[in-house]
RNA sequence: GGCGUCGUGGCCGAGUGGCUUAGGCACAGGUCUGCAAAACCUGCUACAGCGGUUCGAUUCCGCUCGACGCCUCCA
């Protein structure tokens, strides 16, 4: 018996615009693909939010007992600089600016990407394939599309024939666009004279002499178009049809639309059953943009070394802040917002600490079994983490009430409460209890316990000057003492 | 201009055709405390505007205003 059998989940499917009951193609197994980063610069904080959302989805599916194959690619071939398809790709450009090899850029920022995700306690995906490692698969895909009559070659480059495709298929079904609208609204750019129509997109580009990243193909020495890699890699590792495809909202068009078209053109099948899109992250109500300076890197956010935030934040605080809003909502990153989340986060973590010291009774004043079901119900409803968190706070309040002798819990219920909270806080939300980790540090705990003991003696002697000095100076280094009837505990913030 | 998402109380953010409330932060009063902090109890401001459907709408529909995303590099 797996948890997923008693927990049918509903997923908002961008393709249909509705919440649908999730049914995997193979019972008990989930195939999930998420478009990964282009590794030409430090990972964008908004990108981190997107991946954090899907990390949570991955974690919950695993928690329910699904065997999940989670594929998240590394784009190391570089997207073209603009839709004219004539420019350099981003990685080549960066390499030229930094005067290093393109693969050196790729290596540097791939390492940076992994470092950042590790700091934020991400689970590694099952497979993390690279675009450059799948050139052969991409060439095969192009050949199939040409064979089926949906692509044409011009001067060594191959383009997807959107108009021809749309005669027998529907181009724009995901983004709800109509080809005729696109025709009226597509700006004519320079350098796309090879295309039959402006809406066509490149599957293969012949490399200009100065283009460093290039591979041989039946059409020319060149490089693959920027929508192709995800189709090639998702097909290779998840099959021609799979369960979930995720990515940032901004990728819906054209990237994901083109993925659908490529798959249908090559394999005759729509590749994905559930399309999920994570919404955008804003900074102080504005979109993050490198050009306007309204941007902050993940490491700058964590170090406090930035002009937007009043202090440094622990990675768990940022994860908690993210989980307090729905993955489908625009999230506004502000100093006030993160500060508020920080307090809530530590309140939750203090509650987690109580799980080990709570006294049990003969009766429970809370229906713990019903509470547990509410937690699952929240997550089953399109991964509603804000509602889950509200239930977690209900449990924290309950634990505090027990401590105040205003509520009680049985040993059996406490075990359920503990197991459930651990599952959701640590396993599903991916939060780490810095307080618990630190109190596991025996040397620190021993030193603080000694100071607590000395302070107790001072208080017993009514030497309040000394006792307050101990309390205040510990507070200055981030150790907060908490007095209660049962003695004094401490927490780190 | 086209397509899409959205507009909730001091702030952040869920949710719903009427039922008793999201939750966090902030604020006020109280309990506890040597004093604080923490915790607990109580209170406090809501559903952009205008119409429509309905016995009844914050929730459904239409319009207006506004925000954001995509349509062009940015996740």
């Amino acid at each position: 018996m797996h948890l997923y059998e008693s927990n049918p989940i509903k997923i908002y499917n961008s393709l249909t615009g509705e919440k649908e009951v999730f049914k995997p193609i193979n019972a008990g197994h989930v195939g999930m693909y998420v478009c990964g980063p282009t590794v030409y610069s430090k990972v964008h904080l908004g990108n981190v939010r997107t991946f954090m959302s899907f990390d949570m989805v991955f974690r919950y599916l695993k928690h329910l007992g699904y065997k999940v194959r989670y594929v998240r690619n590394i784009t190391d071939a570089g997207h073209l600089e603009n839709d004219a398809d004539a420019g350099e790709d981003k990685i080549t450009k960066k390499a030229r600016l930094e005067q290093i090899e393109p693969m050196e850029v790729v290596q540097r920022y791939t390492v940076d990407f992994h470092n950042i995700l590790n700091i934020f306690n991400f689970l590694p995906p099952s497979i993390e394939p690279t675009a450059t490692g799948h050139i052969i698969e991409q060439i095969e895909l192009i050949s199939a599309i040409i064979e089926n009559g949906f692509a044409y070659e011009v001067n060594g480059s191959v383009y997807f024939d959107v108009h021809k495709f749309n005669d027998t298929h529907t181009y724009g079904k995901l983004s709800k666009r109509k080809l005729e609208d696109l025709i009226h609204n597509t700006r004519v750019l320079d350098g796309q004279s090879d295309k039959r129509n402006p809406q066509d997109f490149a599957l293969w580009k012949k490399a200009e002499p100065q283009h460093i990243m290039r591979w041989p193909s039946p059409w020319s020495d060149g490089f693959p178009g920027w929508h192709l890699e995800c189709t090639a890699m998702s097909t290779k590792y998840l099959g021609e049809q799979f369960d979930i495809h995720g990515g940032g909202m901004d990728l819906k068009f054209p990237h994901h639309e083109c993925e659908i078209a490529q798959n249908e053109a090559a394999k005759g099948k729509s590749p994905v059953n559930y399309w999920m899109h994570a919404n955008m992250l804003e900074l102080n109500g504005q979109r993050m943009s490198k050009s306007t300076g309204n941007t902050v890197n993940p490491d700058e956010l964590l170090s406090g070394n930035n002009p937007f935030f009043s202090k440094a934040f622990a990675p768990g605080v940022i994860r908690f802040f993210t989980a307090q809003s729905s993955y489908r909502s625009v999230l506004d990153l502000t100093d006030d917002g993160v500060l508020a989340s920080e307090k809530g986060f530590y309140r939750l973590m203090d509650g987690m600490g109580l799980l080990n010291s709570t006294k049990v009774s003969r009766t429970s004043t809370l229906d713990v079994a019903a509470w547990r079901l509410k937690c699952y119900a929240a997550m089953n409803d399109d991964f509603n983490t804000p509602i889950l968190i509200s239930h977690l706070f209900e449990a924290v309040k309950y634990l505090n009430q027990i401590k105040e002798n205003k509520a009680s819990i049985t040993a059996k219920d406490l075990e359920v409460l503990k197991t459930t909270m651990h599952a959701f806080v640590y396993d599903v939300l991916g939060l780490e209890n810095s307080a618990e980790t630190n109190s596991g540090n025996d040397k620190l705990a021993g030193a603080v316990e000694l100071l607590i003991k000395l302070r107790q003696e001072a208080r017993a002697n009514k030497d309040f000057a000394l006792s307050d000095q101990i309390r205040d100076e510990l507070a200055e280094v981030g150790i907060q003492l908490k007095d209660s009837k049962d003695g004094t505990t401490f927490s780190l913030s």
Side-chain angles (χ1 to χ4, degrees):
Chain A
M1 183 71 184
H2 294 281
L3 276 170
Y4 62 74
E5 290 168 38
S6 52
N7 285 283
I9 57 180
K10 280 189 171 182
I11 294 180
Y12 180 86
N13 190 349
S14 302
L15 192 59
T16 59
E18 287 174 2
K19 281 186 194 169
E20 299 172 358
V21 175
F22 176 64
K23 271 192 197 154
I25 294 167
N26 300 307
H29 295 257
V30 179
M32 178 162 92
Y33 188 93
V34 172
C35 295
T38 304
V39 283
Y40 70 105
S41 67
K42 287 190 174 183
V43 61
H44 192 284
L45 195 58
N47 218 168
V48 172
R49 190 229 175 164
T50 298
F51 298 142
M52 211 175 262
S53 298
F54 289 105
D55 184 57
M56 175 273 293
V57 170
F58 180 40
R59 284 165 172 275
Y60 187 58
L61 292 172
K62 276 166 69 95
H63 172 71
L64 290 183
Y66 284 111
K67 294 204 165 182
V68 188
R69 181 177 291 167
Y70 173 26
V71 181
R72 188 185 63 212
N73 66 293
I74 295 280
T75 297
D76 58 352
H79 293 170
L80 294 162
E81 270 292 282
N82 59 53
D83 203 38
D85 289 356
E88 294 176 284
D89 75 42
K90 291 175 192 167
I91 290 169
T92 304
K93 184 180 182 185
K94 184 79 174 182
R96 185 173 53 74
L97 290 173
E98 300 192 356
Q99 297 192 318
I100 52 178
E101 272 293 315
M103 284 316 271
E104 213 175 333
V105 175
V106 165
Q107 178 69 15
R108 177 191 295 174
Y109 294 113
T110 299
V111 169
D112 174 73
F113 175 63
H114 286 148
N115 283 343
I116 293 293
L117 295 202
N118 284 336
I119 289 168
F120 282 111
N121 197 31
F122 276 65
L123 293 180
S126 320
I127 303 174
E128 195 168 40
T130 61
T132 56
H134 297 78
I135 300 295
I136 290 167
E137 287 83 350
Q138 295 181 68
I139 288 171
E140 286 174 350
L141 203 51
I142 296 169
S143 298
I145 296 172
I146 292 175
E147 244 171 66
N148 292 340
F150 295 112
Y152 56 90
E153 182 199 340
V154 181
N155 297 328
S157 294
V158 182
Y159 296 96
F160 190 96
D161 192 335
V162 171
H163 288 240
K164 184 157 184 208
F165 176 79
N166 197 56
D167 288 341
T168 49
H169 298 70
T170 307
Y171 181 79
K173 61 170 83 164
L174 177 65
S175 56
K176 315 281 191 288
R177 280 157 217 256
K178 293 195 176 94
L179 184 57
E180 54 188 87
D181 293 336
L182 290 170
I183 293 167
H184 293 308
N185 290 301
T186 302
R187 189 188 295 179
V188 178
L189 297 161
D190 296 334
Q192 50 188 25
S193 52
D194 285 348
K195 288 188 192 176
R196 288 182 190 164
N197 292 292
Q199 294 75 38
D200 294 349
F201 56 89
L203 297 173
W204 188 264
K205 281 299 295 180
K206 181 181 178 180
E208 300 298 314
Q210 69 273 18
H211 202 104
I212 309 165
M213 296 185 101
R214 55 167 67 212
W215 295 265
S217 79
W219 312 286
S220 63
D221 274 14
F223 50 92
W226 72 286
H227 306 303
L228 201 58
E229 57 177 275
C230 290
T231 301
M233 293 186 278
S234 63
T235 302
K236 176 163 184 175
Y237 298 113
L238 298 173
E240 292 174 4
Q241 290 184 300
F242 55 97
D243 300 301
I244 298 172
H245 190 131
M249 194 78 98
D250 52 336
L251 295 181
K252 202 193 256 187
F253 188 90
H255 183 57
H256 292 157
E257 202 68 76
C258 292
E259 274 190 59
I260 292 175
Q262 287 165 346
N263 239 292
E264 291 185 348
K267 313 284 182 184
K269 292 173 184 170
S270 188
V272 178
N273 288 340
Y274 303 88
W275 282 93
M276 295 179 69
H277 289 95
N279 220 133
M280 301 290 105
L281 181 70
E282 296 178 353
L283 180 60
N284 293 322
Q286 303 283 128
R287 89 159 297 177
M288 288 203 196
S289 161
K290 285 170 197 167
S291 57
T292 61
N294 190 244
T295 186
V296 60
N297 289 331
D299 52 335
E300 292 169 341
L301 182 63
L302 296 173
S303 68
N305 182 24
N306 66 74
F308 303 101
F309 294 91
S310 57
K311 66 188 288 289
F313 294 105
V317 171
I318 303 303
R319 255 197 110 103
F320 182 74
F321 174 77
T322 303
Q324 273 190 305
S325 79
S326 159
Y327 77 92
R328 286 200 288 131
S329 299
V330 173
L331 179 59
D332 190 13
L333 191 66
T334 63
D335 194 41
D336 287 346
V338 183
L339 284 170
S341 285
E342 184 181 44
K343 295 202 174 177
F345 172 72
Y346 287 117
R347 182 170 143 83
L348 176 63
M349 285 307 167
D350 285 347
M352 296 302 288
L354 289 176
L355 286 167
N356 293 321
S357 58
T358 291
K359 289 177 291 188
V360 297
S361 309
R362 286 187 172 186
T363 56
S364 292
T365 50
L366 180 77
D367 187 342
V368 175
W371 168 83
R372 178 175 174 275
L373 290 178
K374 283 198 292 181
C375 292
Y376 279 95
M379 287 303 287
N380 294 341
D381 182 17
D382 196 32
F383 310 97
N384 196 331
T385 50
I387 292 293
L388 169 68
I389 287 173
S390 79
H391 296 323
L392 294 175
F393 275 112
E394 192 186 336
V396 169
K397 189 171 186 173
Y398 181 43
L399 288 164
N400 280 321
Q401 285 172 335
I402 295 168
K403 196 180 171 192
E404 301 265 320
N405 294 319
K406 288 177 177 170
S408 64
I409 189 168
T410 64
K412 200 179 167 187
D413 277 346
L414 179 60
E415 194 52 41
V416 173
L417 190 74
K418 189 172 173 178
T419 305
T420 308
M421 287 195 79
H422 274 255
F424 282 110
V425 173
Y426 300 144
D427 299 344
V428 175
L429 295 180
L431 301 174
E432 286 181 305
N433 193 345
S434 57
E436 196 168 79
T437 309
N438 284 324
S439 61
N441 181 336
D442 291 342
K443 289 175 186 170
L444 177 68
V448 176
E449 290 301 334
L450 174 64
L451 287 164
I452 287 174
K453 197 173 154 195
L454 291 172
R455 176 163 165 271
Q456 290 295 10
E457 286 171 13
R459 290 175 76 194
N461 296 331
K462 301 217 186 285
D463 185 355
F464 297 123
L466 178 60
S467 74
D468 288 355
Q469 185 189 357
I470 292 171
R471 181 179 71 200
D472 296 343
E473 292 193 10
L474 280 175
E476 272 179 37
V477 297
I479 297 170
Q480 190 193 42
L481 299 187
K482 294 175 182 176
D483 295 329
S484 75
K485 289 166 193 143
D486 304 326
T488 302
T489 57
F490 71 97
S491 68
L492 302 128
S493 55

